[in-house]
Amino acid sequence: MSTKRVAVRAAAVSLLVISIGSAVATPAFAKERPPEARGYTATADLDGRDRPELDATYVYNFVNEGDVVRVVCQTSGETAYGSKVWDLVAAPAGDPSVTGHKFVPDAFVRTGVDGFAPGIPRCGASEIALARD
């Protein structure tokens, strides 16, 4: 067999091994979940507010420490506990008496970053209205 033919076959085998290795090293479950499917952990008991302000109307202990909540969107509001970011969260499952969506300070929701988290949308008027229902 010629040297050129051996080199071409070696290159083809190398590409095949690299391709198989990539497929094995990237399992399907490693893909990032869409924002609506993510759960974030509350690091404290949190009152849910109808506006991103500390003096807004609230639901006492809307979220309990350790609850996994769904963050619908994030917005800027009054500085609370060192951050101006507030999360609009859906009521956690498990307590049928707590329903709806309310704002909680982002400082106590483990989103993985301080401030606005990539992948979580910013709240628009329609989302903000959900907190007042």
Side-chain angles (χ1 to χ4, degrees), residues 7-73:
V8 168
R9 284 188 179 177
V13 169
S14 294
L15 281 173
L16 179 63
V17 169
I18 289 170
S19 297
I20 291 171
S22 296
V24 171
T26 311
F29 63 82
K31 293 180 181 175
E32 190 172 326
R33 294 179 292 163
E36 64 276 1
R38 290 188 196 138
Y40 299 99
T41 304
T43 61
D45 292 341
L46 301 171
D47 298 337
R49 293 172 165 78
D50 65 353
R51 295 184 321 276
E53 303 167 2
L54 290 172
D55 66 348
T57 303
Y58 65 91
V59 174
Y60 180 73
N61 281 355
F62 182 70
V63 173
N64 294 307
E65 182 177 0
D67 282 351
V68 175
V69 297
R70 183 174 63 91
V71 177
V72 176
C73 59

Side-chain angles (χ1 to χ4, degrees), residues 14 18 34 39 49 51 57 81 89 95 104 106 118 133:
S14 294
I18 289 170
R49 293 172 165 78
R51 295 184 321 276
T57 303
Y81 312 102
V89 300
D95 185 351
V104 298
D106 181 68
D133 292 339

